[in-house]
Amino acid sequence: MTHVFVAPHPDDVALSCGGLIASLRDRGEAVTIVSVFSRAGDLQALTPFQRLALGFGSQEKSRPGDADLLPEHDDSGAVALAAADAMAVRRAEDEAFASFVGAANVFVDLPDAVFRGYGNDSQLMGAPHPDDSPPVEELRRALVRLGPDRLYLPLAIGGHVDHRQARRAAMTLLAEAGSPFRDRTRFYEDFPYALNVGFERLDQLDPEIFASLPPGVSLAPEYVDIADLIDRKLEGLRTYPSQLGRLFGGAGGMSEAVRAQALRVGRLGGTGPAERYWRVTPG
């Protein structure tokens, strides 16, 4: 089978689905990761907010090790972190993860939200701007070319605008008459947002999700036991060093959060450490 995972950004699929991907590859099944928002805009140097939002600290080098990821100053001493360089690092991390697990990468290559006019955290975690349309046709082209037997999409738990736009684009495709994707789709729980907000039940989701589901379908939970795979998931996440400080305070915090989420999800499903997916099903 061909399994296609749609990631709003480089790292989202590894964070949310790393255990399942390890299991699929153990069975010899093909995995492709489609990263939607993976390109810089037309800016040259990043603003302090963009640096922080993308995982590279701020002008004040707020975390030890920021300067190890990318140069922070040019020869004159001015801040000079090129947007293209930052996104190149993030893409390279995604490629390193794919190499580690034996998956393929596809980059839709749309600009990250920080390059589309979202200038602070409240905007990033708020409603999409009216002139910022979901990338329906771009995602359609990628999925038609790949022809997935199973398709995995973000629920956009936490509400990040890029997660919402990726989900909205996918929902549009699912709702189309004769959609080839509808009975192949699972939604994944965006991590670490799902842990941060304490997500447990469908009634905690954005109501927009249910309104945009095709008529006559519902979501049914599926639990993937990752007890024997969690160490490989953690090793895979270490291919994203630019993100570990921003999201978890470092590799140690990442390990604690991943294990806590797996145990929490497993308790919900009456299993061992697990990841949970929501299958589109009739009913």
Side-chain angles (χ1 to χ4, degrees), residues 243-256:
Q243 303 304 298
L244 300 186
R246 176 178 65 91
L247 293 174
F248 306 105
M254 179 270 290
S255 178
E256 291 176 8

Side-chain angles (χ1 to χ4, degrees), residues 141-249:
R141 286 194 291 270
L143 296 182
V144 167
R145 180 165 60 87
L146 293 168
D149 297 300
R150 291 277 173 85
L151 177 62
Y152 303 84
L153 304 170
L155 281 171
I157 295 168
H160 189 292
V161 66
D162 282 341
H163 290 238
R164 292 192 195 200
Q165 294 295 65
R167 187 195 69 208
R168 285 182 174 185
M171 287 292 206
T172 298
L173 298 179
L174 292 183
E176 291 177 344
S179 170
F181 308 116
R182 189 175 303 170
D183 60 355
R184 307 178 190 185
T185 295
R186 274 81 172 149
F187 287 91
Y188 61 82
E189 300 181 1
D190 314 62
F191 179 75
Y193 299 110
L195 176 64
N196 295 343
V197 304
F199 176 74
E200 295 185 355
R201 307 176 312 278
L202 288 178
D203 62 12
Q204 294 173 279
L205 289 174
D206 180 349
E208 176 186 301
I209 293 176
F210 301 101
S212 57
L213 280 173
V217 303
S218 59
L219 300 179
E222 294 182 343
Y223 291 83
V224 176
D225 193 315
I226 63 169
D228 296 332
L229 302 167
I230 197 163
D231 287 336
R232 282 168 59 193
K233 178 172 182 174
L234 293 173
E235 189 173 353
L237 288 175
R238 294 186 186 101
T239 65
Y240 295 93
S242 75
Q243 303 304 298
L244 300 186
R246 176 178 65 91
L247 293 174
F248 306 105

Side-chain angles (χ1 to χ4, degrees), residues 5 13-14 17-29 31 33 97 100-103 224-226 228-236 275 277:
F5 292 78
V13 159
C17 311
L20 173 59
I21 289 173
S23 175
L24 294 173
R25 295 301 298 130
D26 282 350
R27 301 204 300 264
E29 301 194 20
V31 171
I33 300 168
F97 173 76
F100 172 74
V101 298
V224 176
D225 193 315
I226 63 169
D228 296 332
L229 302 167
I230 197 163
D231 287 336
R232 282 168 59 193
K233 178 172 182 174
L234 293 173
E235 189 173 353
E275 293 171 349
Y277 298 83

Side-chain angles (χ1 to χ4, degrees), residues 8-176:
H9 307 112
D11 79 357
D12 285 320
V13 159
L15 286 163
S16 305
C17 311
L20 173 59
I21 289 173
S23 175
L24 294 173
R25 295 301 298 130
D26 282 350
R27 301 204 300 264
E29 301 194 20
V31 171
T32 297
I33 300 168
V34 177
S35 296
V36 180
F37 299 104
S38 56
R39 182 169 65 83
D42 298 327
L43 299 177
Q44 296 301 312
L46 295 176
T47 67
F49 169 71
Q50 289 168 336
R51 283 185 65 97
L52 189 61
L54 293 172
F56 298 99
S58 69
Q59 288 182 342
E60 292 74 29
K61 200 172 81 170
S62 59
R63 299 194 314 271
D66 278 351
D68 296 333
L69 294 169
L70 285 172
E72 204 169 6
H73 299 86
D74 63 17
D75 292 340
S76 68
V79 173
L81 176 56
D85 290 343
M87 297 310 291
V89 167
R90 298 210 58 188
R91 287 175 59 129
E93 291 174 344
D94 222 26
E95 291 168 341
F97 173 76
S99 178
F100 172 74
V101 298
N105 288 109
V106 171
F107 295 100
V108 177
D109 242 8
L110 297 175
D112 188 283
V114 299
F115 305 115
R116 303 199 314 275
Y118 297 88
N120 56 49
D121 283 330
S122 63
Q123 291 181 13
L124 275 186
M125 306 307 291
H129 294 165
D131 60 349
D132 186 25
S133 300
V136 176
E137 294 308 318
E138 294 90 343
L139 186 58
R140 185 200 307 278
R141 286 194 291 270
L143 296 182
V144 167
R145 180 165 60 87
L146 293 168
D149 297 300
R150 291 277 173 85
L151 177 62
Y152 303 84
L153 304 170
L155 281 171
I157 295 168
H160 189 292
V161 66
D162 282 341
H163 290 238
R164 292 192 195 200
Q165 294 295 65
R167 187 195 69 208
R168 285 182 174 185
M171 287 292 206
T172 298
L173 298 179
L174 292 183
E176 291 177 344

